[in-house]
């Protein structure tokens, strides 16, 4: 990872794992606060010699890619990115495409009755009338294919190319004790989400299907998991433990977790 100060001098360099947040691994003894590197800035890619280097700064996270280095100009420009937000249920996919720079929902909608011949896609662009499409949508991959198709539609869409989607955010119901905040999805994070299926058997399997569908359809777009349980991980043990045998907690992770944390966090922030 390369760090630059405002005069664009190289301050430090290191090798890190793909997808790690700068704030977690930045060397703090070099006089450059992680906050400075995490702030939105325009970037220009330059050739390097095959190491892992910082690729871009998006949503406060560092994306790493082999073979490129980053140059951070002195002049920063307004930060904008389009985030596709996905909420996968057992027979539905709800979505929004959000322009984070303008704090505006470009489009919102849902695919209902997945797995049936009369599945329903309801799509609401921000500047046009609502659209309803009926068809056979057999699985979550098809549902997200339909979603992307209508987002790109000349008549009803709000973007012209898939590359205009900068990131995908997934609501994940259960993160167990492993996640106390949102996480960039990689193989390890996906494995942990699968491990939590027994704690949320009606929700996590469908969340995983949505993640896998987006990975297949948008392979170069970073994905982030937002866990319903993360907000409540600051509960002390006397609040989350039940009055039941200790072995049930140790063997089966039976405890109070708290849910709908994304909503709670939003409401608390507004208050």
């Amino acid at each position: 990872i390369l760090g630059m100060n405002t005069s664009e001098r190289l301050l430090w360099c290191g090798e890190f794992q793909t997808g790690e947040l700068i704030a977690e691994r930045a060397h703090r003894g070099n006089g450059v606060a992680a906050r400075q590197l995490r702030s939105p800035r325009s970037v220009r890619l330059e050739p390097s010699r095959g190491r892992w280097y910082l690729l871009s700064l998006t949503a406060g996270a560092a994306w790493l890619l082999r073979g490129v280095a980053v140059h951070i100009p002195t002049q920063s420009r307004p930060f904008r990115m389009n985030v596709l937000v996905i909420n996968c249920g057992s027979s539905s996919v709800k979505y929004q495409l959000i322009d984070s720079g303008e704090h505006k929902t470009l489009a919102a909608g849902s695919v209902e009755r997945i797995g049936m011949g009369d599945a329903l896609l309801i799509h609401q662009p921000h500047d046009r009338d609502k659209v309803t499409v009926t068809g056979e949508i057999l699985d979550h991959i098809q549902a997200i294919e339909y979603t992307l198709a209508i987002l790109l539609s000349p008549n009803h869409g709000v973007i012209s190319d898939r590359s205009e989607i900068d990131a995908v955010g997934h609501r994940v119901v259960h993160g167990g004790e492993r996640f106390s905040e949102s996480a960039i999805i990689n193989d390890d994070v996906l494995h942990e989400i699968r491990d939590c299926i027994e704690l949320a058997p009606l929700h996590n399997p469908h969340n995983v299907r949505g993640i896998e569908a987006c990975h297949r359809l948008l392979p170069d777009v970073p994905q982030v998991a937002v866990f319903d349980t993360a907000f409540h991980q600051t509960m002390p043990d006397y609040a989350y433990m039940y009055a039941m045998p200790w072995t049930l907690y140790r063997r089966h992770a039976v405890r109070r977790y708290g849910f709908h944390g994304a909503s709670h966090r939003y409401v608390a922030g507004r208050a």
Side-chain angles (χ1 to χ4, degrees), residues 7 11 14 30 43 49-50 68 75 81 90 95 102 112 115 134 141 187 196 217 219 239 257 262 269 271:
S7 62
L11 294 179
N30 53 32
V43 296
R49 297 183 179 178
V68 294
Q75 298 297 323
M81 64 185 300
S90 58
Y95 66 88
E102 297 292 332
E112 308 287 345
T134 303
I141 291 180
D187 290 342
C196 291
L217 298 169
Y257 288 95

Side-chain angles (χ1 to χ4, degrees), residues 15-28:
E15 294 184 339
F16 299 81
Q17 296 300 311
T18 305
E20 287 187 331
L21 294 180
I22 267 188
E24 294 177 1
R25 293 292 302 274
H27 188 280
R28 296 178 181 275

Side-chain angles (χ1 to χ4, degrees), residues 50-168:
R51 283 182 161 184
W52 291 94
Y53 286 114
L54 175 62
L55 171 63
S56 64
L57 298 175
T58 56
W63 310 107
L64 309 182
L65 193 68
R66 182 179 294 277
V68 294
V70 67
H71 170 78
I72 304 179
T74 303
Q75 298 297 323
S76 60
R77 291 183 291 184
F79 175 62
R80 297 186 64 176
M81 64 185 300
N82 292 331
V83 180
L84 178 61
V85 180
I86 298 288
N87 182 359
C88 283
S90 58
S91 61
S92 68
V93 172
K94 297 179 175 67
Y95 66 88
Q96 289 190 24
L97 184 64
I98 299 172
D99 180 342
S100 64
E102 297 292 332
H103 302 283
K104 179 173 67 177
T105 299
L106 300 177
S110 63
V111 182
E112 308 287 345
R113 299 202 289 267
I114 294 173
M116 303 180 68
D118 59 345
L120 194 66
L121 169 62
I122 302 170
H123 176 71
Q124 177 66 73
H126 71 98
D127 57 353
R128 275 156 288 168
D129 294 335
K130 183 184 295 184
V131 180
T132 301
V133 178
T134 303
E136 186 179 57
I137 302 177
L138 299 180
D139 56 30
H140 287 75
I141 291 180
Q142 277 192 306
I144 294 176
E145 283 178 338
Y146 268 70
T147 298
L148 293 174
I150 203 162
L151 288 172
L152 290 162
S153 165
N155 296 324
H156 311 297
V158 292
I159 56 175
S160 57
D161 191 88
R162 292 188 183 190
S163 63
E164 294 179 49
I165 299 174
D166 300 298
V168 181

Side-chain angles (χ1 to χ4, degrees), residues 33 64 96 112 120 148 158 174 190 209 226 238 255 266 269 271:
L64 309 182
Q96 289 190 24
E112 308 287 345
L120 194 66
L148 293 174
V158 292
H174 218 304
L190 190 55
R209 291 188 187 101
V226 180
Y238 60 80
R255 50 158 283 186
Y266 171 78

Side-chain angles (χ1 to χ4, degrees), residues 241-253:
M241 291 300 298
Y242 289 118
M244 58 175 56
W246 175 255
T247 54
L248 292 176
Y249 169 67
R250 297 299 300 169
R251 293 178 183 176
H252 306 292

Side-chain angles (χ1 to χ4, degrees), residues 27-43:
H27 188 280
R28 296 178 181 275
N30 53 32
V32 179
R35 185 188 311 168
Q36 290 177 287
L37 291 174
R38 286 166 58 92
S39 63
R41 292 176 182 269
S42 59
V43 296

